[in-house]
Amino acid sequence: MKFKTLAAVMGLALALPFAAQAQKTLKYAHFQPAKDDQPKHVAALAFKEHVEKATNGSIKVEIFPAGQFGKDQPTMEALRLGTLEMAVAHDGAIGTVHKPIGVLGIPFLYDNHEHAWRVYDSEWLKGFSDDMIKKTGIRALGFADNGVRHFTNSLRPIQTPADMKGMKIRIQPSPVFKALVESLGASASAIPWGELPTALQQKVVDGQENGVTNILAASLYQHQKYATLDGHVWSVHGYLVSDRFYTRLTDVEKKAVNEGVQKAMAIHRKMTAEQDKNAKKILEGVGMQVYEPTAAQIAEFRKLAQPPVRQWAESEIGKNYVDALFKAVEATRK
């Protein structure tokens, strides 16, 4: 009896190192503060809870918020190398390693939030992800919102493209946004995000374009009297995983990760969309004069802006990427 007990204990002792080796660590990076009003972080916590529970602890999720794992390019390179297992990154960061994400910068693509989500959840995602895996080793599991982008300025209300003529508009360093702004009659100035509030205060530029979250986060409303809710571009956050890590998961673990991403994205989309859908009230609450263009006015913006940006994307990114996106947009339109 003592021999059997001793053998059982020895067997358990031998098994423990293998059990420890079997546990996988999933480092999860994102760029928002670790606060309960930040969509990325709330979503990350939901992902962690689901994955650890669904895998009975075989995957341990470690969250690195607020850019702790590095800025845009270092984070994406870590995913490529497999030293980081997962990240939720905005389209600008993704573009540092995979240029085709730029097609999502084509303006005035969607009718509303739900239409955008139908596109991101369609077969288009699989095609985009397969291409990204092949070229970067990074798998895209889904896309959530990074806010709908609008124009603000300090000169006058923008109701039609004609109102933008002669304005100096700050853009992020991007040929897509340069083509967009210039197609509407304004001049585009690429200014780093950290320098934008000062540039607006000193009248280096008259206006800028961003989502409500960023307008509030950097207090841009202090130097911008007018906002136009034109919704020209729907920025995204990609839920990305190192394919090297993902392909080594068991079927149960893959299922848990996929389900965790869906739960996280549902939270992320809801929180961001609620802010977008209440943009007028929120921006008026901080003292801005807000204009909501009519459908006919949006059509005028689209007519001027979409063709040149689409042409640029076809030339610089590839017509096949642009055609695939527009096909998905039309197929999911209700």
Side-chain angles (χ1 to χ4, degrees):
M1 191 68 171
K2 289 182 180 180
F3 176 79
K4 287 183 179 180
T5 302
L6 178 61
V9 170
M10 290 179 65
L12 179 60
L14 289 170
L16 283 173
F18 292 101
Q21 289 175 14
Q23 187 182 59
K24 302 175 178 74
T25 298
L26 188 159
K27 297 184 292 294
Y28 181 127
H30 70 75
F31 299 98
Q32 288 181 342
K35 298 180 179 178
D36 60 9
D37 63 349
Q38 298 296 306
K40 277 191 190 179
H41 193 65
V42 178
L45 294 174
F47 175 88
K48 173 181 172 67
E49 181 181 9
H50 177 81
V51 169
E52 291 182 348
K53 183 177 180 180
T55 62
N56 291 318
S58 71
I59 295 179
K60 179 185 177 184
V61 179
E62 296 179 353
I63 301 172
F64 293 81
Q68 289 179 16
F69 214 87
K71 295 183 179 180
D72 294 359
Q73 192 162 2
T75 294
M76 297 305 298
E77 288 297 339
L79 281 174
R80 285 180 66 135
L81 296 171
T83 54
L84 174 64
E85 287 74 35
M86 186 170 171
V88 181
H90 54 277
D91 34 7
I94 298 170
T96 65
V97 296
H98 196 54
K99 192 175 179 180
I101 191 68
V103 297
L104 296 183
I106 296 174
F108 304 105
L109 286 171
Y110 315 114
D111 299 333
N112 48 45
H113 285 80
E114 291 74 21
H115 183 200
W117 298 334
R118 289 194 298 271
V119 171
Y120 303 147
D121 295 339
S122 71
E123 281 299 305
W124 173 84
L125 173 64
K126 184 179 186 306
F128 181 89
S129 182
D130 287 348
D131 182 68
M132 193 173 182
I133 292 168
K134 182 179 178 181
K135 293 179 178 176
T136 69
I138 299 170
R139 178 183 293 262
L141 295 178
F143 287 97
D145 304 50
N146 188 23
V148 183
R149 303 180 79 93
H150 306 295
F151 287 112
T152 70
N153 81 96
S154 60
L155 299 181
R156 55 184 175 267
I158 296 172
Q159 298 182 0
T160 70
D163 296 321
M164 294 186 64
K165 189 172 182 180
M167 280 189 183
K168 294 178 291 185
I169 302 293
R170 177 268 177 185
I171 59 167
Q172 58 182 298
S174 163
V176 171
F177 285 94
K178 184 175 188 295
L180 165 61
V181 166
E182 292 179 349
S183 73
L184 297 173
S187 61
S189 298
I191 296 173
W193 170 250
E195 298 174 17
L196 177 55
T198 301
L200 293 173
Q201 182 180 22
Q202 297 178 352
K203 306 295 185 183
V204 174
V205 288
D206 304 309
Q208 61 89 49
E209 54 81 44
N210 255 299
V212 176
T213 301
N214 287 340
I215 293 171
L216 296 177
S219 301
L220 302 184
Y221 52 84
Q222 293 181 353
H223 316 295
Q224 299 281 274
K225 184 175 181 180
Y226 305 101
T228 297
L229 304 183
D230 63 298
H232 47 271
V233 169
W234 297 63
S235 286
V236 296
H237 279 131
Y239 278 71
L240 312 171
V241 64
S242 163
D243 200 54
R244 181 182 301 180
F245 172 78
Y246 186 84
T247 53
R248 292 175 179 173
L249 298 178
T250 66
D251 289 343
V252 169
E253 290 168 340
K254 286 178 183 174
K255 183 173 184 289
V257 168
N258 293 341
E259 290 174 347
V261 165
Q262 292 303 312
K263 288 179 180 291
M265 286 199 307
I267 292 169
H268 189 155
R269 288 176 176 180
K270 185 175 186 294
M271 289 182 69
T272 306
E274 281 178 355
Q275 195 169 54
D276 283 330
K277 291 177 179 180
N278 289 292
K280 188 173 190 295
K281 180 179 179 181
I282 292 169
L283 296 180
E284 285 179 341
V286 293
M288 299 189 79
Q289 291 185 26
V290 181
Y291 181 72
E292 294 182 288
T294 65
Q297 289 169 335
I298 291 294
E300 190 177 348
F301 278 98
R302 182 186 292 111
K303 183 179 179 181
L304 287 175
Q306 194 176 90
V309 179
R310 179 172 181 168
Q311 184 178 10
W312 177 88
E314 289 177 349
S315 172
E316 298 297 322
I317 297 175
K319 191 173 185 302
N320 57 321
Y321 292 106
V322 176
D323 288 347
L325 177 59
F326 271 85
K327 182 180 178 182
V329 168
E330 291 307 316
T332 54
R333 177 165 277 131
K334 289 186 177 179

